[in-house]
Amino acid sequence: MDIVIVILGIVLVLAAPKLWTRAIFFKYNQGRKDLPQTGGELASNQLQQLKLADVQLIRTQHRSHYDLHTKSVCLTDNTMNNHSLTALVRAAFEVGHALQDKQQGALSRYRQGLLELAGYGEKLGSGALLLSPFIALLLPSLAGLLLFCALISMLTGAMIELLVVPIEWQAGFQFALPLLKQSHLLAQDQQAVREILMACALSHFAYSLANLLDGRHWLKALGFKPRNTD
């Protein structure tokens, strides 16, 4: 019984941050008639106002993000076309990353390097974890070591994502929040905007923890491409 409680506690700790971020995004994802712009329109206007002519605005099937290599603000269909508070704030958050890149290029490259390093850790850990049952059949003495290495690799990826949180926080509250205030659209929603920005800043870390429980993510890390959502 004690073991079951411990396991449930670990699952809760790993899943709770992602559940919270998704709950915040869902809470404010309803279209509103008093918000005349979609997320894509807001991002396009902000990129023009900031004179970021080299930054493209494109659709993506993956989660909304800023691509440092292609200088692109990549938004999902939901963020691009929705008149919701979540869509507007998430779009501004990615524009905030573009502005952060322009003003603090070295910091953006550091962030990208950490994210790529976390991806390598997840790939190594996922491969080791998926191979461990086969190794257990062939070389039982090595199965435990391989499983331990897999878990350490995947936990290291999550800890690297934790290092990115301050940079994400800066993109949200130092760069995106002033842009949202200048839009004069969100004056009555300041608390909600801050909640969504907080969820955006923590989302990489939150998802990396939850991915430890998600077998589909292990397959994705190894090159398989399950369908992605916002």
Side-chain angles (χ1 to χ4, degrees):
M1 186 66 179
D2 290 340
I3 295 178
V4 173
I5 294 175
V6 170
I7 292 175
L8 289 176
I10 293 173
V11 170
L12 180 61
V13 168
L14 294 177
K18 180 179 179 179
L19 293 175
W20 177 80
T21 58
R22 289 179 68 88
I24 292 296
F25 292 147
F26 179 79
K27 179 180 178 180
Y28 299 109
N29 198 42
Q30 306 305 313
R32 285 172 37 179
K33 294 181 180 180
D34 63 324
L35 299 176
Q37 296 185 87
T38 64
E41 290 168 343
L42 179 70
S44 179
N45 291 337
Q46 289 179 341
L47 291 174
Q48 292 179 13
Q49 292 170 6
L50 295 169
K51 295 182 171 56
L52 296 175
D54 59 329
V55 178
Q56 303 178 72
L57 177 63
I58 63 176
R59 284 182 172 84
T60 180
Q61 294 181 343
H62 304 274
R63 291 174 56 206
S64 297
H65 63 282
Y66 173 68
D67 191 318
L68 177 68
H69 298 303
T70 63
K71 305 295 183 184
S72 302
V73 170
C74 308
L75 304 179
T76 62
D77 284 335
N78 180 60
T79 301
M80 184 77 78
N81 300 320
N82 203 346
H83 289 263
S84 72
L85 203 57
T86 293
L88 293 174
V89 176
R90 295 198 73 175
F93 180 75
E94 302 310 335
V95 174
H97 272 305
L99 185 57
Q100 185 183 50
D101 182 25
K102 178 182 179 181
Q103 296 186 6
Q104 300 180 359
L107 185 63
S108 293
R109 290 190 293 273
Y110 173 70
R111 167 185 177 267
Q112 187 66 30
L114 287 177
L115 292 177
E116 291 175 357
L117 183 60
Y120 291 138
E122 287 188 341
K123 183 175 292 188
L124 177 63
S126 298
L129 193 61
L130 292 174
L131 285 174
S132 58
F134 302 101
I135 298 298
L137 294 175
L138 300 175
L139 300 169
S141 60
L142 293 180
L145 178 60
L146 188 64
L147 181 60
F148 176 77
C149 292
L151 294 176
I152 291 299
S153 296
M154 297 179 76
L155 283 172
T156 299
M159 292 304 101
I160 292 173
E161 296 281 10
L162 182 60
L163 296 177
V164 178
V165 169
I167 303 174
E168 300 290 303
W169 195 275
Q170 183 192 56
F173 289 91
Q174 183 174 325
F175 291 98
L177 185 58
L179 296 176
L180 289 165
K181 289 181 177 179
Q182 291 171 12
S183 70
H184 302 295
L185 295 175
L186 311 175
Q188 75 277 21
D189 295 304
Q190 292 186 23
Q191 182 59 38
V193 167
R194 290 180 178 276
E195 288 182 23
I196 300 169
L197 285 175
M198 188 180 301
C200 289
L202 296 174
S203 63
H204 276 291
F205 176 60
Y207 277 63
S208 68
L209 288 178
N211 286 340
L212 296 173
L213 304 171
D214 189 352
R216 294 173 302 173
H217 181 77
W218 307 340
L219 294 173
K220 178 183 173 183
L222 293 173
F224 299 95
K225 298 296 183 182
R227 188 174 181 179
N228 290 282
T229 59
D230 189 34

